[in-house]
Amino acid sequence: MESKQENTYLDISFANFLAARSGLDGRQKDEFNAIVLRLSASLAEGHSCLNVSPVEEQLLSNLSLVAVTGRQDATSLTPLVLHGTNLYLARYYNYESRLARQLRVLADKRFTEEADSDIIDILFPGESAAGSDQMRAALTALARPLIIVNGGPGTGKTTTVVKMLSLLVASSNTSLRIGLAAPTGKAAMRLSESIGNSLEKLGLPDAVREAMPKTAVTLHRLLGVQKNSPQFRHSSARPLAHDVVVIDEASMVDLAMMSKLVDALKPGSRLILLGDKDQLASVESGAVLADLISSFPASSVELRKTYRFDDNIKQLATSINASEHEQVWQQLTGATADNVSLCAADDLYSYLSLRYGDYLSFVQDITSPLESDVRDIFSRFNNFQVLCCVAFSERGVMAINRRVEQRLAAKGLQCKHNEWYPGRPVLITRNDYGLDLYNGDIGICLWSSEKQGLRVWFERPDGSLRSCAINMLPTFETVYAMTIHKSQGSEFGEVLVVLPKEDNRVLSRQLIYTAVTRAKQKVSIVADRSILKLALLRQHPRRSGLREMIVQESMPR
């Protein structure tokens, strides 16, 4: 599949740099330059490699700039690597091959602890030896160091992991150090809340409940950020101390991060991955969760039963996932479900003005917010979110944010575009390890005190609140509307999904599915029928060599 991503100036300069040092001239030099440009475009679209033709493979295999795996003269110092018919930048090849090797070793290990029968009876009362999906996941985690739990929204992934960890704690002869993490602060906070709620309901023995982890952190914090370095503090040279590491929203974890995470596991530890393979893959390269589910069926458990998720939203998500565009349109336009609907484009800004007007009026009536006020403000804001497919267009994030502020200002609210005001919501767009703020964190501007004036408040993964001076913030954007990609790991009471008026290459079934499954109570969609159909019939599969490499690692040498 050819990439449709446009090359940047940096891509073009890189291709020219390599072509000038390739030793080629004429037509062959131009062909090599074009291959490198395609590789760069492929990486920009999230693929980890580029599949090349036999003719291109022959051209590449004769170049000193390209290491050909399996060949005796292969070197680790070349910028490009050819593995079969897949061409890689050396960095991505190293991530993928190392991850495949480490995961193969991890998946092949076994543990011999006997399941504690008393805790089994508490967690799974009346269940047979075959048990439910949750019971199978718990028993698999007891026996295997790699376990992947896949399920859609509301299928009880968090309850399942609490049961898994409870069985591990009760069945272990020693105390276990357990780490909980997620790719974003919002996802980590949701995991912490869900773990706490599940612990309250299960009736666990005091000793087990007290040994369970209560707080999740971001993946960056788990691995240990080092100032001015792309490397983390924890690696194979200095592994994590945890005996069990749980990662939620694993579909968001890209190839590089997953490689660094697995590299940092100490020998004898367990890795538990939770996620939904039908959601969007990571923003960066790879589709690691989907690759691992297909590569390690014995370590994978799919949760199929739905708990505590609105049936209408579930049916809509199921139809979207099956690309049933006619069924989706009927569900949106029918009168059978009042919480799943089509929103007319002409009504969009009237509705946004109403919803965000109520929110901003409430905030601006509070001049000296207490902690309880701040939590209430976040709760009100998180009850509604606009999700866009694109950033730039008439129906994109930038245009909607600007027009919402204009509408709110016209209602007499303090709300001037590109200026600070109480209630302004912002989305952090660049990691700042010193401030412990990360791409995707949402903050709300509020009055702090007469002395401090306006500050931006954030909810932290451990449930605490903190504020930051406005002039200290890393790069950010106003966030009455955000892209669907940036909503991953978040949950909102109601989402309003806005599709562009014209086709766009980012549109896909996975994109719409991810947007709809961010909602807990209500979904509205602004879309032309033809554009929605295009999106639901399109998929964006990620190209990687990870599954192939895992298979190769299992072969006798």
Side-chain angles (χ1 to χ4, degrees):
M1 182 177 67
E2 286 295 321
S3 168
K4 296 180 181 179
Q5 179 75 27
E6 292 184 7
N7 288 115
T8 66
Y9 177 76
L10 183 61
D11 295 335
I12 295 168
S13 298
F14 177 64
N16 290 340
F17 177 84
L18 291 186
R21 287 154 180 79
S22 65
L24 300 172
D25 54 26
R27 182 175 58 83
Q28 286 192 324
K29 182 179 178 180
D30 292 340
E31 289 174 353
F32 176 65
N33 188 295
I35 292 171
V36 177
L37 285 174
R38 283 167 47 215
L39 174 60
S40 294
S42 189
L43 294 174
E45 290 191 336
H47 309 294
S48 64
C49 57
L50 174 72
N51 191 257
V52 297
S53 69
V55 173
E56 292 169 332
E57 181 184 351
Q58 183 64 38
L59 172 66
L60 294 166
S61 64
N62 293 321
L63 299 181
S64 60
L65 294 173
V66 182
V68 181
T69 60
R71 207 163 67 181
Q72 288 187 344
D73 61 346
T75 172
S76 60
L77 301 178
T78 59
L80 303 175
V81 176
L82 186 62
H83 181 73
T85 59
N86 288 334
L87 179 67
Y88 292 84
L89 282 184
R91 178 163 60 104
Y92 289 101
Y93 173 77
N94 291 334
Y95 283 139
E96 206 161 85
S97 59
R98 184 173 178 82
L99 180 60
R101 185 164 57 252
Q102 292 169 319
L103 287 172
R104 184 76 269 171
V105 171
L106 191 66
D108 287 344
K109 290 181 180 177
R110 298 291 182 273
F111 292 110
T112 57
E113 289 100 332
E114 291 290 328
D116 184 293
S117 58
D118 292 336
I119 203 75
I120 286 284
D121 290 340
I122 292 172
L123 296 173
F124 309 103
E127 290 193 23
S128 64
S132 61
D133 293 332
Q134 291 188 348
M135 184 175 181
R136 188 160 63 88
L139 294 175
T140 303
L142 193 64
R144 294 175 176 271
L146 175 65
I147 174 73
I148 306 155
V149 179
N150 170 55
T155 52
K157 291 189 288 292
T158 306
T159 301
T160 301
V161 82
V162 170
K163 292 182 177 182
M164 293 163 70
L165 295 177
S166 300
L167 182 60
L168 288 174
V169 167
S171 305
S172 177
N173 296 323
T174 59
S175 60
L176 297 176
R177 296 190 65 174
I178 302 172
L180 304 175
T184 67
K186 179 69 80 172
M189 186 169 65
R190 280 183 53 212
L191 179 59
S192 299
E193 292 172 351
S194 299
I195 292 280
N197 292 336
S198 296
L199 284 174
E200 289 179 7
K201 299 173 183 176
L202 289 177
L204 298 168
D206 290 344
V208 173
R209 189 171 60 251
E210 290 169 6
M212 295 287 283
K214 310 298 190 302
T215 303
V217 298
T218 62
L219 261 173
H220 285 86
R221 173 159 281 197
L222 176 75
L223 294 176
V225 170
Q226 298 190 100
K227 191 174 182 179
N228 300 322
S229 172
Q231 303 304 318
F232 292 108
R233 186 168 69 252
H234 293 291
S235 65
S236 57
R238 188 181 178 183
L240 294 163
H242 302 92
D243 303 293
V244 183
V245 174
V246 178
I247 306 298
D248 196 16
E249 298 289 351
S251 64
M252 297 175 64
V253 183
D254 61 70
L255 173 63
M257 181 63 84
M258 187 66 79
S259 180
K260 292 174 182 179
L261 168 66
V262 174
D263 192 46
L265 297 176
K266 74 175 183 180
S269 61
R270 288 175 167 89
L271 176 63
I272 299 174
L273 302 176
L274 312 175
D276 181 352
K277 67 177 177 59
D278 294 319
Q279 284 189 32
L280 285 168
S282 59
V283 175
E284 301 298 332
S285 62
V288 179
L289 181 68
D291 284 343
L292 299 193
I293 289 170
S294 61
S295 298
F296 299 111
S299 294
S300 302
V301 176
E302 182 176 4
L303 304 179
R304 291 161 291 189
K305 185 176 179 180
T306 302
Y307 309 85
R308 297 186 307 279
F309 192 64
D310 182 89
D311 283 344
N312 295 325
I313 299 176
K314 178 191 172 185
Q315 290 172 11
L316 180 63
T318 300
S319 298
I320 289 169
N321 211 20
S323 298
E324 296 172 343
H325 55 90
E326 292 293 341
Q327 180 67 22
V328 169
W329 191 258
Q330 289 175 17
Q331 287 172 268
L332 292 173
T333 56
T336 56
D338 59 2
N339 65 335
V340 171
S341 63
L342 190 73
C343 176
D346 292 344
D347 298 333
L348 173 61
Y349 288 103
S350 296
Y351 188 59
L352 296 187
S353 178
L354 174 66
R355 292 304 307 267
Y356 283 128
D358 289 344
Y359 154 77
L360 207 58
S361 295
F362 175 80
V363 175
Q364 294 187 352
D365 282 341
I366 302 173
T367 55
S368 299
L370 304 173
E371 180 178 320
S372 59
D373 294 322
V374 177
R375 293 189 185 281
D376 192 12
I377 288 167
F378 269 102
S379 177
R380 287 169 181 263
F381 180 75
N382 289 330
N383 199 42
F384 177 74
Q385 183 64 56
V386 181
L387 302 180
C388 299
C389 298
V390 297
F392 303 101
S393 82
E394 182 182 336
R395 295 183 186 172
V397 167
M398 305 301 286
I400 289 177
N401 279 323
R402 186 179 300 107
R403 289 193 63 182
V404 165
E405 288 182 315
Q406 290 171 349
R407 287 289 191 110
L408 296 179
K411 293 179 72 168
L413 293 162
Q414 185 183 348
C415 183
K416 194 168 183 180
H417 181 59
N418 279 341
E419 293 189 8
W420 289 103
Y421 52 84
R424 180 185 182 185
V426 295
L427 178 79
I428 300 301
T429 58
R430 179 177 59 82
N431 295 336
D432 189 314
Y433 303 122
L435 290 174
D436 196 26
L437 292 175
Y438 299 95
N439 185 6
D441 286 352
I442 291 178
I444 296 178
C445 179
L446 300 171
W447 285 112
S448 182
S449 68
E450 225 177 277
K451 184 177 180 182
Q452 291 184 314
L454 290 170
R455 293 175 68 87
V456 178
W457 287 82
F458 295 89
E459 294 180 301
R460 308 313 299 147
D462 62 2
S464 64
L465 296 167
R466 59 163 295 197
S467 67
C468 181
I470 288 170
N471 60 0
M472 293 290 290
L473 289 177
T475 57
F476 62 87
E477 57 191 40
T478 302
V479 70
Y480 292 108
M482 69 170 71
T483 61
I484 297 167
H485 280 87
K486 291 181 179 179
S487 75
Q488 286 181 272
S490 297
E491 219 176 43
F492 307 98
E494 175 187 351
V495 299
L496 195 158
V497 186
V498 182
L499 274 64
K501 295 176 68 173
E502 57 288 317
D503 188 18
N504 187 290
R505 61 182 179 79
V506 305
L507 292 174
S508 69
R509 184 194 73 193
Q510 294 95 328
L511 189 75
I512 310 305
Y513 173 84
T514 300
V516 164
T517 55
R518 298 310 89 204
K520 292 188 289 185
Q521 287 107 27
K522 184 176 180 180
V523 173
S524 302
I525 297 181
V526 176
D528 299 329
R529 187 171 186 170
S530 60
I531 298 300
L532 181 60
K533 178 179 178 180
L534 280 172
L536 297 184
L537 293 178
R538 181 183 293 155
Q539 297 187 55
H540 286 314
R542 289 282 177 90
R543 185 167 50 250
S544 85
L546 183 58
R547 280 176 284 182
E548 176 189 338
M549 288 184 185
I550 290 172
V551 170
Q552 291 172 350
E553 287 295 330
S554 66
M555 294 178 178
R557 296 179 183 277

